[in-house]
Amino acid sequence: MDLALEAAVRSEAMRHLTRREAHDAVYFSRSERFDFRGEKIRFMSRQTGIWKPRQLSAALSISTTFTPPTRERPYDDSVIGPDGLGRYKWRGTDPDQADNRALRTAMINELPLIWFLAFDRGRYAAIHPVYLIREEAAQHQFVVAVDAIQQLDSIDVIHPGIDIQLAHVSRETKQRLHQAPFRAAVLDAYTCRCAICRFGHASLLDAAHIAPDSEGGLPTVTNGLSLCKMHHGAYDSGLIGITPDLVVQVNHDVLNEIDGPMLRHGIQGFHGQSLMVVPRHAWQQPDRDALEVRYQQFLSAGT
Ligand SMILES: [Zn+2]
């Protein structure tokens, strides 16, 4: 195996993803390719979850298919193990199957991979780099560290059983596995615009939770709002509330403040206005009950 080639292809693939993300790409499809020394290389297999381009000996990416929105949690604990690290199933049950061997080769050589998580049919959020750090043959699966820090820490995670570290790893893993598809799903539902002001640069847009993560709010599209950094901050700090009827309300004190154009146009100007962008499909629209709870919190904090 040509380790230099393995590394070069990976670094070009990840550079391509990072560049696309910086240029407002919110999701990726199976047909996407990148250029490597004049050749077009796919990011994902056409049909299966494990992908090894013919130029390589080790797998380049893994992908997890779409879970319909009726299911409560988009990525349940089957992708996160009891040690807080990710899990990815073999293809079938034969350890010598070619795709499984390609994953093992990536693991043995500590090569970074890309994990594509579908949030809709054919639409994927990308997490990279991830590393395969162990194999659990009895469960037909690999253990996945979702960043380089977890990869380095993995020895400690396995052995001493330090609860604080376990909790930390678990939180990091959930954060990355949930956040990437959540953000992609929410931004896509709002056509990559801020719900309040229609600002449209994805790199300055967040998927805001309506029911906060810390209060058990799920990373599902109906618990999300696509908001620009400014309006996300204003929403989370109680400067702005959103009624269950999707009308923006500005905190009373803030409404009477006198300041520069950002306050006047960016905040006060939206008082009493309906959200400018609302998802087209009912199943993507914000949950009215969650909005109501959050709006009551906004009202009680402002008095
Ligand atoms: Zn905005």
Side-chain angles (χ1 to χ4, degrees):
M1 182 180 54
D2 182 346
L3 263 181
L5 176 72
E6 294 279 342
V9 169
R10 270 150 233 281
S11 101
E12 186 50 44
M14 291 181 206
R15 215 174 8 246
H16 177 95
L17 292 179
T18 304
R19 207 161 43 225
R20 292 263 284 108
E21 283 158 350
H23 284 87
D24 292 350
V26 168
Y27 63 84
F28 303 96
S29 67
R30 274 195 186 269
S31 59
E32 195 130 352
R33 291 159 192 259
F34 62 99
D35 267 315
F36 182 75
R37 297 176 188 163
E39 282 188 88
K40 292 272 185 201
I41 300 181
R42 307 179 72 89
F43 279 97
M44 282 179 257
S45 146
R46 248 184 265 264
Q47 284 103 13
T48 66
I50 302 162
W51 172 235
K52 182 193 79 63
R54 64 173 173 75
Q55 296 88 342
L56 303 182
S57 303
L60 171 66
S61 76
I62 51 179
S63 58
T64 300
T65 50
F66 174 61
T67 308
T70 46
R71 283 270 294 277
E72 209 186 33
R73 279 203 175 267
Y75 296 99
D76 60 18
D77 293 339
S78 66
V79 297
I80 302 175
D83 53 8
L85 291 159
R87 292 295 186 277
Y88 195 83
K89 287 283 176 197
W90 286 357
R91 181 167 179 192
T93 54
D94 176 5
D96 285 327
Q97 198 277 336
D99 285 344
N100 297 334
R101 276 193 281 119
L103 287 181
R104 200 168 297 119
T105 305
M107 175 181 74
I108 291 164
N109 293 286
E110 300 181 359
L111 293 165
L113 292 95
I114 304 160
W115 194 348
F116 291 101
L117 293 146
F119 62 90
D120 196 351
R121 284 183 184 80
R123 297 176 177 201
Y124 295 82
I127 299 175
H128 57 92
V130 302
Y131 296 85
L132 305 177
I133 55 172
R134 272 184 290 138
E135 190 167 4
E136 293 173 333
Q139 288 86 34
H140 305 149
Q141 64 193 14
F142 287 89
V143 179
V144 190
V146 298
D147 57 32
I149 308 284
Q150 283 191 0
Q151 186 206 16
L152 293 174
D153 282 352
S154 61
I155 310 294
D156 297 334
V157 175
I158 299 160
H159 297 295
I162 301 166
D163 287 347
I164 296 167
Q165 191 172 15
L166 179 62
H168 176 74
V169 170
S170 192
R171 204 168 47 244
E172 288 278 305
T173 306
K174 272 193 180 144
Q175 168 75 16
R176 293 207 77 195
L177 291 179
H178 290 163
Q179 190 57 34
F182 174 61
R183 180 174 188 277
V186 171
L187 265 60
D188 184 45
Y190 290 77
T191 62
C192 253
R193 290 193 174 273
C194 173
I196 292 176
C197 69
R198 292 192 79 245
F199 182 81
H201 285 278
S203 51
L204 293 179
L205 291 176
D206 291 334
H209 285 78
I210 300 171
D213 199 19
S214 56
E215 293 171 23
L218 296 176
T220 52
V221 67
T222 54
N223 189 41
L225 289 166
S226 171
L227 295 177
C228 67
K229 300 274 181 199
M230 174 74 175
H231 287 133
H232 186 189
Y235 187 60
D236 279 357
S237 59
L239 266 61
I240 276 177
I242 296 171
T243 73
D245 298 325
L246 310 182
V247 175
V248 178
Q249 295 289 308
V250 175
N251 169 288
H252 189 262
D253 294 339
V254 176
L255 201 55
N256 292 315
E257 231 176 273
I258 295 172
D259 196 47
M262 184 58 98
L263 181 73
R264 197 162 63 247
H265 301 297
I267 302 284
Q268 292 165 334
F270 289 101
H271 182 65
Q273 302 288 315
S274 292
L275 291 186
M276 295 186 83
V277 183
V278 178
R280 196 156 54 92
H281 303 293
W283 65 268
Q284 294 174 318
Q285 287 168 6
D287 181 281
R288 305 286 157 131
D289 294 338
L291 283 171
E292 175 67 35
V293 171
R294 184 75 188 260
Y295 186 60
Q296 289 307 323
Q297 289 171 351
F298 161 78
L299 290 178
S300 50
T303 53

Short mmCIF file of all heavy atoms in Angstrom, two decimals, residues 14-36:
data_model
loop_
_atom_site.label_atom_id
_atom_site.label_comp_id
_atom_site.label_asym_id
_atom_site.label_seq_id
_atom_site.Cartn_x
_atom_site.Cartn_y
_atom_site.Cartn_z
N MET A 14 -10.84 16.00 1.93
CA MET A 14 -11.30 16.82 3.06
C MET A 14 -11.15 18.30 2.77
O MET A 14 -11.97 19.11 3.19
CB MET A 14 -10.57 16.39 4.34
CG MET A 14 -11.03 14.99 4.75
SD MET A 14 -10.30 14.35 6.25
CE MET A 14 -10.43 12.58 5.93
N ARG A 15 -10.09 18.63 2.03
CA ARG A 15 -9.93 20.03 1.63
C ARG A 15 -11.11 20.48 0.76
O ARG A 15 -11.65 21.56 0.92
CB ARG A 15 -8.61 20.21 0.86
CG ARG A 15 -7.98 21.53 1.16
CD ARG A 15 -6.62 21.83 0.61
NE ARG A 15 -6.06 20.91 -0.35
CZ ARG A 15 -4.99 20.17 -0.11
NH1 ARG A 15 -4.38 20.23 1.05
NH2 ARG A 15 -4.52 19.38 -1.05
N HIS A 16 -11.51 19.61 -0.14
CA HIS A 16 -12.65 19.90 -1.01
C HIS A 16 -13.92 20.13 -0.19
O HIS A 16 -14.66 21.09 -0.41
CB HIS A 16 -12.85 18.74 -2.00
CG HIS A 16 -14.03 18.90 -2.91
ND1 HIS A 16 -13.92 19.43 -4.18
CD2 HIS A 16 -15.34 18.63 -2.72
CE1 HIS A 16 -15.13 19.46 -4.74
NE2 HIS A 16 -16.01 18.97 -3.88
N LEU A 17 -14.17 19.26 0.79
CA LEU A 17 -15.37 19.42 1.63
C LEU A 17 -15.31 20.73 2.41
O LEU A 17 -16.31 21.46 2.48
CB LEU A 17 -15.50 18.25 2.62
CG LEU A 17 -15.80 16.87 2.03
CD1 LEU A 17 -15.88 15.83 3.15
CD2 LEU A 17 -17.10 16.87 1.24
N THR A 18 -14.16 21.02 2.99
CA THR A 18 -14.02 22.25 3.77
C THR A 18 -14.25 23.48 2.89
O THR A 18 -14.92 24.43 3.30
CB THR A 18 -12.60 22.31 4.40
OG1 THR A 18 -12.42 21.12 5.16
CG2 THR A 18 -12.44 23.51 5.30
N ARG A 19 -13.72 23.42 1.69
CA ARG A 19 -13.88 24.54 0.75
C ARG A 19 -15.36 24.71 0.39
O ARG A 19 -15.89 25.80 0.36
CB ARG A 19 -13.05 24.26 -0.50
CG ARG A 19 -12.60 25.49 -1.24
CD ARG A 19 -11.43 25.21 -2.17
NE ARG A 19 -11.56 23.97 -2.93
CZ ARG A 19 -10.59 23.09 -3.09
NH1 ARG A 19 -9.41 23.28 -2.53
NH2 ARG A 19 -10.79 22.00 -3.81
N ARG A 20 -16.02 23.60 0.11
CA ARG A 20 -17.45 23.66 -0.25
C ARG A 20 -18.27 24.20 0.93
O ARG A 20 -19.20 24.97 0.74
CB ARG A 20 -17.96 22.28 -0.66
CG ARG A 20 -17.38 21.77 -1.95
CD ARG A 20 -18.30 22.04 -3.15
NE ARG A 20 -19.42 21.11 -3.18
CZ ARG A 20 -20.67 21.41 -2.91
NH1 ARG A 20 -21.00 22.62 -2.54
NH2 ARG A 20 -21.62 20.51 -2.97
N GLU A 21 -17.91 23.78 2.14
CA GLU A 21 -18.64 24.25 3.33
C GLU A 21 -18.43 25.76 3.51
O GLU A 21 -19.35 26.48 3.85
CB GLU A 21 -18.18 23.47 4.58
CG GLU A 21 -18.78 22.07 4.62
CD GLU A 21 -18.00 21.06 5.47
OE1 GLU A 21 -16.88 21.38 5.91
OE2 GLU A 21 -18.52 19.96 5.69
N ALA A 22 -17.20 26.21 3.27
CA ALA A 22 -16.91 27.64 3.40
C ALA A 22 -17.66 28.44 2.32
O ALA A 22 -17.94 29.62 2.51
CB ALA A 22 -15.42 27.88 3.27
N HIS A 23 -17.96 27.79 1.21
CA HIS A 23 -18.72 28.46 0.15
C HIS A 23 -20.20 28.09 0.22
O HIS A 23 -20.86 27.87 -0.80
CB HIS A 23 -18.14 28.16 -1.23
CG HIS A 23 -16.89 28.92 -1.49
ND1 HIS A 23 -15.66 28.46 -1.11
CD2 HIS A 23 -16.68 30.13 -2.05
CE1 HIS A 23 -14.73 29.34 -1.43
NE2 HIS A 23 -15.32 30.38 -2.01
N ASP A 24 -20.68 27.95 1.44
CA ASP A 24 -22.11 27.84 1.68
C ASP A 24 -22.76 26.52 1.28
O ASP A 24 -23.98 26.45 1.18
CB ASP A 24 -22.88 29.02 1.04
CG ASP A 24 -22.55 30.33 1.75
OD1 ASP A 24 -21.91 30.27 2.82
OD2 ASP A 24 -22.94 31.40 1.25
N ALA A 25 -21.98 25.47 1.04
CA ALA A 25 -22.61 24.16 0.82
C ALA A 25 -23.09 23.65 2.17
O ALA A 25 -22.34 23.66 3.14
CB ALA A 25 -21.61 23.17 0.23
N VAL A 26 -24.34 23.23 2.21
CA VAL A 26 -24.91 22.78 3.47
C VAL A 26 -24.94 21.26 3.53
O VAL A 26 -24.84 20.65 4.57
CB VAL A 26 -26.33 23.37 3.62
CG1 VAL A 26 -27.07 22.70 4.76
CG2 VAL A 26 -26.24 24.85 3.85
N TYR A 27 -25.07 20.62 2.38
CA TYR A 27 -25.12 19.16 2.36
C TYR A 27 -24.43 18.63 1.11
O TYR A 27 -24.11 19.38 0.18
CB TYR A 27 -26.57 18.67 2.42
CG TYR A 27 -27.40 19.07 1.24
CD1 TYR A 27 -27.39 18.34 0.06
CD2 TYR A 27 -28.22 20.20 1.30
CE1 TYR A 27 -28.15 18.72 -1.03
CE2 TYR A 27 -28.99 20.58 0.21
CZ TYR A 27 -28.95 19.83 -0.95
OH TYR A 27 -29.69 20.21 -2.02
N PHE A 28 -24.22 17.32 1.12
CA PHE A 28 -23.53 16.66 0.01
C PHE A 28 -24.39 15.51 -0.49
O PHE A 28 -25.17 14.94 0.26
CB PHE A 28 -22.17 16.15 0.47
CG PHE A 28 -21.32 17.25 1.02
CD1 PHE A 28 -21.26 17.48 2.39
CD2 PHE A 28 -20.62 18.10 0.18
CE1 PHE A 28 -20.50 18.52 2.92
CE2 PHE A 28 -19.87 19.15 0.69
CZ PHE A 28 -19.81 19.35 2.06
N SER A 29 -24.23 15.19 -1.78
CA SER A 29 -24.99 14.07 -2.34
C SER A 29 -24.03 12.96 -2.75
O SER A 29 -22.82 13.16 -2.85
CB SER A 29 -25.80 14.55 -3.54
OG SER A 29 -24.91 14.90 -4.58
N ARG A 30 -24.59 11.80 -3.02
CA ARG A 30 -23.77 10.64 -3.38
C ARG A 30 -23.01 10.81 -4.69
O ARG A 30 -22.03 10.14 -4.92
CB ARG A 30 -24.66 9.38 -3.49
CG ARG A 30 -24.85 8.71 -2.16
CD ARG A 30 -25.42 7.30 -2.30
NE ARG A 30 -25.70 6.79 -0.98
CZ ARG A 30 -24.83 6.10 -0.24
NH1 ARG A 30 -23.66 5.80 -0.72
NH2 ARG A 30 -25.15 5.71 0.98
N SER A 31 -23.50 11.70 -5.52
CA SER A 31 -22.86 11.84 -6.84
C SER A 31 -21.62 12.74 -6.80
O SER A 31 -20.89 12.84 -7.77
CB SER A 31 -23.87 12.41 -7.83
OG SER A 31 -24.32 13.66 -7.36
N GLU A 32 -21.42 13.41 -5.64
CA GLU A 32 -20.32 14.37 -5.55
C GLU A 32 -18.94 13.72 -5.76
O GLU A 32 -18.69 12.62 -5.31
CB GLU A 32 -20.37 15.03 -4.18
CG GLU A 32 -19.54 16.27 -4.11
CD GLU A 32 -20.33 17.43 -3.53
OE1 GLU A 32 -21.55 17.30 -3.32
OE2 GLU A 32 -19.71 18.45 -3.30
N ARG A 33 -18.07 14.45 -6.45
CA ARG A 33 -16.70 13.96 -6.70
C ARG A 33 -15.71 15.07 -6.42
O ARG A 33 -16.08 16.23 -6.35
CB ARG A 33 -16.54 13.56 -8.17
CG ARG A 33 -17.32 12.33 -8.57
CD ARG A 33 -17.51 12.32 -10.09
NE ARG A 33 -18.48 11.32 -10.50
CZ ARG A 33 -18.14 10.14 -11.00
NH1 ARG A 33 -16.89 9.82 -11.16
NH2 ARG A 33 -19.08 9.28 -11.33
N PHE A 34 -14.45 14.68 -6.29
CA PHE A 34 -13.39 15.67 -6.16
C PHE A 34 -12.26 15.32 -7.11
O PHE A 34 -12.14 14.18 -7.57
CB PHE A 34 -12.87 15.76 -4.71
CG PHE A 34 -12.25 14.50 -4.18
CD1 PHE A 34 -10.87 14.34 -4.16
CD2 PHE A 34 -13.05 13.47 -3.71
CE1 PHE A 34 -10.29 13.17 -3.67
CE2 PHE A 34 -12.47 12.30 -3.23
CZ PHE A 34 -11.10 12.15 -3.21
N ASP A 35 -11.46 16.31 -7.42
CA ASP A 35 -10.34 16.14 -8.35
C ASP A 35 -9.10 15.71 -7.60
O ASP A 35 -8.74 16.31 -6.59
CB ASP A 35 -10.00 17.50 -9.00
CG ASP A 35 -10.75 17.66 -10.29
OD1 ASP A 35 -10.76 16.71 -11.08
OD2 ASP A 35 -11.31 18.76 -10.50
N PHE A 36 -8.46 14.68 -8.11
CA PHE A 36 -7.16 14.32 -7.55
C PHE A 36 -6.22 14.02 -8.71
O PHE A 36 -6.41 13.05 -9.43
CB PHE A 36 -7.27 13.12 -6.61
CG PHE A 36 -5.95 12.76 -5.98
CD1 PHE A 36 -5.43 13.53 -4.95
CD2 PHE A 36 -5.20 11.69 -6.46
CE1 PHE A 36 -4.19 13.23 -4.40
CE2 PHE A 36 -3.97 11.39 -5.90
CZ PHE A 36 -3.45 12.16 -4.88
#
